[in-house]
Amino acid sequence: MKRFIKLICAVLVVLTLCLGLCSCKEMDEIREKRAEWGDELMTVIRFDGKEYKLLSPCEDLVVDLENGNNYRYVTLEEVPLLLTDQFGSIIKISSDREMIVCGHWQNDYECNKVYARSDLYEELEEAIENYELGWLCYQNNYYDYETQEFVTERILMPEALNEIVNKASELEGMILDEDDLPYGSSDVTLYFCDKSMRFVRENKYIRFTKDNFGKWYMIYRRAKDMEWVGVEISQEDINVLLNAIPKDSM
């Protein structure tokens, strides 16, 4: 830490000169993008007058980040403002300002380090311990021309669809080659989630596709042998799915 402080002091003279060239607006922009560590173990982040605490690792926790390249930096309190991007770590803020993402858990790049706003921390910790992925949801991604932002809309599927999927999963189906899985223009992909859709397993999904003859199939990866399987779905059952998703999303 002492060596670090000495390094900071060595550049203060240069920074003093730079300050004269840096406008108040630029300084405000840097300040707005800056967060600070709240403890030595880096389990707390202070940002925009609020405190965020590190959650337990959970790859299924949904964090919808701000659109665009709205990244910020978290750094030590003693780092001068103009050195924020040099000595800080990149963070991203959730669109609802409830969570912050900063890095990954060790070498597990499927699981981000997520910090929750302190007033929500206990609630989220409890949810992480107890959630169950017993539902299916549809994820609709679209561009909102009014706000000029990309939007992710998640829609919880009706309970009847769970029964249809469970019934289809019990059938033998046909084994499919992973390198040659069928795709169609009417594909619909569903993800396993909890009822609140706060937790979504995006690396495990079920896909419904229609072939050239108008037949619908459910494509999924079988748990017992990890084989990709295709099962034909009746039009009556597929209508349950099609009636639950936006008509303009296909």
Side-chain angles (χ1 to χ4, degrees):
M1 180 63 71
K2 289 182 179 179
R3 291 179 59 188
F4 181 77
I5 298 299
K6 287 181 180 179
L7 176 62
I8 298 301
C9 292
V11 298
L12 282 178
V13 175
V14 177
L15 285 177
T16 302
L17 296 174
C18 291
L19 281 170
L21 302 175
C22 198
S23 70
C24 292
K25 181 180 178 181
E26 290 171 327
M27 293 294 288
D28 287 341
E29 289 176 353
I30 295 172
R31 192 175 288 107
E32 287 176 4
K33 286 190 172 185
R34 176 181 167 119
E36 294 177 351
W37 294 113
D39 65 348
E40 292 184 359
L41 296 177
M42 299 182 176
T43 62
V44 175
I45 293 176
R46 294 195 298 263
F47 173 71
D48 194 26
K50 299 177 179 62
E51 186 176 270
Y52 294 77
K53 298 170 66 175
L54 181 61
L55 292 167
S56 299
C58 180
E59 64 178 303
D60 299 323
L61 178 63
V62 171
V63 185
D64 290 322
L65 299 173
E66 288 181 331
N67 282 289
N69 297 318
N70 295 325
Y71 57 85
R72 294 168 169 80
Y73 296 94
V74 57
T75 189
L76 296 172
E77 185 178 3
E78 56 264 33
V79 172
L81 196 60
L82 287 179
L83 291 180
T84 297
D85 60 342
Q86 298 297 316
F87 293 95
S89 299
I90 290 177
I91 61 174
K92 293 278 285 186
I93 314 296
S94 66
S95 54
D96 55 15
R97 294 295 182 101
E98 292 184 352
M99 289 179 277
I100 292 175
V101 173
C102 180
H104 301 271
W105 286 96
Q106 298 178 354
N107 294 322
D108 183 0
Y109 293 106
E110 293 183 354
C111 190
N112 292 323
K113 280 188 174 180
V114 180
Y115 296 72
R117 210 173 59 207
S118 57
D119 60 311
L120 302 172
Y121 175 79
E122 295 296 338
E123 175 191 340
L124 282 171
E125 275 292 291
E126 184 178 353
I128 287 172
E129 292 229 355
N130 298 296
Y131 74 93
E132 295 180 3
L133 302 178
W135 295 78
L136 292 164
C137 68
Y138 175 73
Q139 189 164 287
N140 186 26
N141 301 308
Y142 63 94
Y143 185 76
D144 188 327
Y145 288 94
E146 185 175 336
T147 63
Q148 297 187 348
E149 292 182 340
F150 286 99
V151 177
T152 297
E153 175 190 30
R154 294 181 185 86
I155 302 169
L156 192 67
M157 294 292 99
E159 195 168 0
L161 191 60
N162 291 25
E163 298 174 8
I164 292 169
V165 168
N166 291 335
K167 180 179 66 176
S169 300
E170 294 173 358
L171 301 176
E172 188 64 27
M174 52 183 176
I175 305 299
L176 303 172
D177 186 344
E178 184 173 2
D179 297 324
D180 193 29
L181 293 176
Y183 287 89
S185 58
S186 300
D187 276 10
V188 178
T189 300
L190 301 181
Y191 298 94
F192 292 94
C193 66
D194 73 320
K195 194 170 184 178
S196 70
M197 293 185 291
R198 175 176 276 171
F199 300 91
V200 178
R201 182 152 297 173
E202 294 189 340
N203 62 356
K204 184 181 179 183
Y205 57 87
I206 294 174
R207 185 162 53 82
F208 295 85
T209 188
K210 184 167 66 172
D211 67 12
N212 294 331
F213 303 99
K215 291 183 178 180
W216 281 89
Y217 292 86
M218 184 180 87
I219 312 296
Y220 71 102
R221 197 158 200 168
R222 195 160 55 191
K224 67 177 182 180
D225 54 14
M226 299 306 291
E227 293 278 10
W228 284 99
V229 180
V231 179
E232 186 175 348
I233 303 294
S234 70
Q235 188 62 51
E236 180 183 359
D237 285 347
I238 206 68
N239 284 342
V240 175
L241 168 65
L242 298 180
N243 289 333
I245 63 175
K247 297 295 183 290
D248 57 353
S249 65
M250 295 181 60

